[in-house]
Amino acid sequence: MHLYLHIPFCHQACHYCDFHFSTRLAGKSDLVNALIQEIALQKDYLGTRELSTVYFGGGTPSTLSPSELSDIFEAIHLHFDIQKGAEITLEANPEDLTPEYLKVLKELGVNRLSIGIQSFHAANLTFMNRNHDVLQARKSIHDAQAMGISNISIDLIYGIPSNTLEMLEKDLATAVSTGVQHISAYSLTIEPKTVFGHQLKKGLMQETPEENMSACFEFTHQYLENNGFTAYETSNFAKAGYESKHNSSYWKQESYLGIGPAAHSFNQTTRQWNIANNATYVKQITQGNLPAEVELLSPENQINEYIMTQLRTHWGIDLNYLRERFQAIQATFPEDEIASWISNGYAVISGDRLKLVGQGKLIADGLSAEIFVLEDSK
Ligand code: SF4
């Protein structure tokens, strides 16, 4: 089972980001106390107290002080058993990863770091309003390695409007040369409620044309696969044995408990999500209430989630399992759609599994929607 903790604070707002976070760090200590209370409140959600992964995401978890982190770990250990060899990941930004901080992380048991690098080009970092520079980016990776953290992931963003494929190649080459074990590479998407969203609306910036984005996607996949990384999910690349166990659990539809504002939880039959408001979250939790909405997952929802998540991975869809699920609700199995994906070169069947290949990976979400089961398709 898996535990996620959402730390909703950042030093400054990146121009592309629509995650839930606040830059008012003064509220951090109250929120940490609420997180600790929520851990106790939700300890039975998963039906087991054994954890095989713990993931601190956000926001920027590295805004937590050593003592705040230590208090959260104490609460986790009090209510759960972290299995031997469990993957314990913390998302961090380069500017926070001083050698002293890294030492604390190591001592607390963090064995995987996910560092928000985004680019090794100074102009890109300024454009995106990142809070670090290129030197800090490189140094944070180096210092983490020197501290003995041997499972490091970095985030990269491609498809920045002014960038060329040569610039992307340089970013990827630098990333590979650092010796990290995992790279998450995302296309720049412009969300409405962000600085970029407003700029786009006012005509102050342009989106990267779709064909350029496709070229970046293909280039990234090719480059990283040529350099020892496997694309085990549309945006995630790992050296052998370094696939993220925590994120893979989402794609494999395993149960997880999410703690903190905006965190989601899933226990096979329900999905629930906490309110995305720090002040309300703290107030409610302090009063012993869980400010969460709960959705009972219908069989159709469950099938569609399976399709959407599995199709993005290199494990693909288990066709026998999918056939059984369609049969159980007497829905028509999408033989024709799947046959057309194969004839168009978007997918292959390997053993019992349906996997996307080539251009199919780029349009994974659109293809998933083609075979979603709808109420009226039964
Ligand atoms: S990208 Fe990360 S650091 Fe930037 S605002 Fe979003 S959560 Fe914070």
Side-chain angles (χ1 to χ4, degrees), residues 155-182:
D155 285 352
L156 292 178
I157 291 181
Y158 63 78
I160 292 168
S162 63
N163 280 198
T164 59
L165 275 185
E166 287 71 32
M167 289 174 76
L168 174 59
E169 182 173 14
K170 194 163 170 250
D171 258 349
L172 294 169
T174 308
V176 169
S177 74
T178 61
V180 294
Q181 290 77 14
H182 187 284

Side-chain angles (χ1 to χ4, degrees), residues 9-10 12-14 16-17 19 21 58-60 93 118 130:
F9 295 101
C10 295
Q12 66 184 41
C14 303
Y16 55 86
C17 182
F19 291 162
F21 66 91
T60 309
N93 276 342
Q118 317 309 352
R130 295 291 301 175

Side-chain angles (χ1 to χ4, degrees), residues 2-3 18 43 86 91 110 165 167 177 209 211-212 233 249 255 280 291-292 295 311 315 320 374:
H2 311 276
L3 179 67
D18 75 340
K43 60 184 187 295
E91 289 181 352
V110 172
L165 275 185
M167 289 174 76
S177 74
E211 61 271 25
N212 293 12
E233 197 265 352
S249 76
S255 302
T280 311
E295 179 191 12
L311 212 47
W315 301 289
N320 292 335
L374 307 170

Side-chain angles (χ1 to χ4, degrees), residues 45-47 254-256 265-272 297:
Y45 176 84
L46 293 170
E254 293 170 0
S255 302
Y256 55 88
S265 303
F266 170 69
N267 65 0
Q268 306 300 321
T269 47
T270 63
R271 178 173 296 291
Q272 68 182 46
L297 292 172

Side-chain angles (χ1 to χ4, degrees), residues 290-330:
L290 185 68
E293 280 185 61
V294 182
E295 179 191 12
L296 190 64
L297 292 172
S298 67
E300 288 83 4
N301 287 155
Q302 292 181 15
I303 292 175
N304 294 342
E305 287 207 10
Y306 175 77
I307 293 170
M308 198 168 72
T309 51
Q310 288 299 110
L311 212 47
R312 290 174 60 93
T313 70
H314 78 154
W315 301 289
I317 284 178
D318 179 338
L319 284 171
N320 292 335
Y321 172 79
L322 194 65
R323 275 206 176 83
E324 277 168 26
R325 297 299 303 259
F326 269 72
Q327 262 165 22
I329 58 164
Q330 293 169 358

